[in-house]
Amino acid sequence: ASDDVNLFAIAVVSALPGAECGDLLVRFLGDGNPNVVAASVTALGHLRFSPAVPALERVLGRDPWVDCAAARSLGQIGGEDASRVLRGLLEHSDEPVVYSAVEAIGQSGNPTAAGDLRRATGHPNPVIAKAAAEAAARLAEFGHANQPDHGEHS
């Protein structure tokens, strides 16, 4: 099938409900076109298809565009496996990938990742360091907002 047909198929499949759609999207991760792979990766994130985390980890390192999409999707999927992969991306040699990982961790709502973000505030790129500080602050707010309220109510 042509790349355009594959991209169209991904768009259609990602709009359908059910785990079968996620399984179909994982099949596109082996496509030779990085745009097709990135579209599939993005769709898996929108579906929050957690069984795809090992497959998303396997596509890393082939193309920075795909790696950025994978970081965003892993943040949307969440969970410990996705967090582990995102922590690894903080050490990536491509700065846009690191930035995408920082943003994904900050949006994940996982307060256990705050330490990883604090370490990333020392990144030599000031844009990444600032994004890490802002993401850590978002996680702190998220953690505070989800604490039980033991105060008195009037």
Side-chain angles (χ1 to χ4, degrees), residues 81-139:
D81 287 339
S83 292
R84 176 187 51 77
V85 177
L86 284 169
R87 282 192 298 274
L89 290 176
L90 292 174
E91 305 300 323
H92 200 282
S93 61
D94 194 278
E95 290 182 342
V97 176
V98 176
Y99 181 86
S100 295
V102 163
E103 288 293 306
I105 291 169
Q107 293 171 1
S108 71
N110 180 358
T112 63
D116 298 310
L117 290 173
R118 280 192 294 278
R119 282 188 294 283
T121 62
H123 195 280
N125 181 321
V127 173
I128 292 173
K130 181 180 181 204
E134 291 169 353
R138 282 195 305 275
L139 282 185

Side-chain angles (χ1 to χ4, degrees), residues 30-92:
D31 195 278
N33 182 326
N35 292 324
V36 170
V37 176
S40 182
V41 164
T42 299
L44 287 163
H46 287 301
L47 291 175
R48 292 175 164 63
F49 190 64
S50 60
V53 171
L56 291 171
E57 186 174 15
R58 285 190 299 272
V59 302
L60 294 173
R62 295 184 201 166
D63 181 272
W65 172 255
V66 171
D67 292 353
C68 288
R72 288 187 299 274
S73 290
L74 288 162
Q76 290 174 308
I77 291 169
E80 195 50 46
D81 287 339
S83 292
R84 176 187 51 77
V85 177
L86 284 169
R87 282 192 298 274
L89 290 176
L90 292 174
E91 305 300 323
H92 200 282

